[in-house]
Amino acid sequence: MRTTAETETAETATAGAEIPGTGIPGTQSAGVTGEAPVRFDTKITVLLRDDLEPWQRLNVTAFLVSGLGTAAPEVIGEPYEDADGTPYLSMFRQPVLVFEGSKETLTAAHGRVLSRSLPRAVFTSDLFATGNDRDNRAAVRAVPTDQLDLVGLAVHGPRNAVDKILKGARMHP
């Protein structure tokens, strides 16, 4: 799954810098307006367990990122509007990077994000069997922290802290 930043970079890349907000060196997007790119001192990331089915990866990613805007409203940009004045909802103001890793990688990342007290969202395997928000919360509440069967984790925080949390994970193909 290619991020918006990667798509823009592939189309408008210049050598020598990094993809804004990603820490990925080598390219930089000039942006649609031609202005200097915005550099973010934070990252939004999703870490998925590498044994999920494709539909599960998409579902988990969508659910996980939905929680970050409530915990960190500064990650939400301005509303969109097309040339005809039709309004659209606000979205994240920076790229969302998607990673994958083993169950062990996810468990270790979960421990690291808890120790750093960063905004995070979790998705456990139990949530695939529920059908609503109330039952989702009850399913997570029923399991001690160290026994959660994690299949996804989203985190927002300073770039260097997020990099340390994701140690051992790889970019999602």
Side-chain angles (χ1 to χ4, degrees):
M1 183 155 90
R2 191 177 227 187
T3 65
T4 302
E6 290 171 327
T7 301
E8 288 177 16
T9 300
E11 295 168 0
T12 60
T14 58
E18 69 178 39
I19 300 170
T22 69
I24 301 171
T27 59
Q28 172 180 327
S29 172
V32 175
T33 63
E35 297 176 16
V38 175
R39 299 213 184 273
F40 298 103
D41 58 351
T42 61
K43 280 187 177 181
I44 299 172
T45 61
V46 173
L47 175 57
L48 302 172
R49 205 162 74 191
D50 58 9
D51 62 351
L52 297 178
E53 294 293 326
W55 73 266
Q56 291 174 317
R57 291 170 186 256
L58 295 171
N59 184 267
V60 171
T61 300
F63 268 93
L64 287 172
V65 298
S66 71
L68 290 179
T70 60
E74 68 276 8
V75 301
I76 304 298
E78 296 295 319
Y80 286 72
E81 182 177 289
D82 63 27
D84 296 324
T86 305
Y88 301 96
L89 296 173
S90 300
M91 297 186 285
F92 289 127
R93 65 181 182 89
Q94 65 189 90
V96 176
L97 303 172
V98 181
F99 292 80
E100 67 177 9
S102 67
K103 183 175 185 171
E104 295 76 22
T105 300
L106 201 58
T107 299
H110 182 243
R112 289 190 290 265
V113 75
L114 293 177
S115 72
R116 288 175 173 77
S117 300
L118 293 176
R120 70 251 174 204
V122 295
F123 198 104
T124 66
S125 63
D126 297 330
L127 302 187
F128 290 124
T130 60
N132 62 73
D133 187 51
R134 182 190 66 234
D135 291 342
N136 286 349
R137 287 192 317 277
V140 174
R141 190 179 311 112
V143 181
T145 303
D146 64 347
Q147 295 176 24
L148 291 171
D149 185 16
L150 297 167
V151 298
L153 173 70
V155 63
H156 170 255
R159 292 167 53 157
N160 61 345
V162 173
D163 289 343
K164 290 176 183 173
I165 288 165
L166 295 176
K167 182 178 179 184
R170 59 193 174 279
M171 287 292 288
H172 190 284

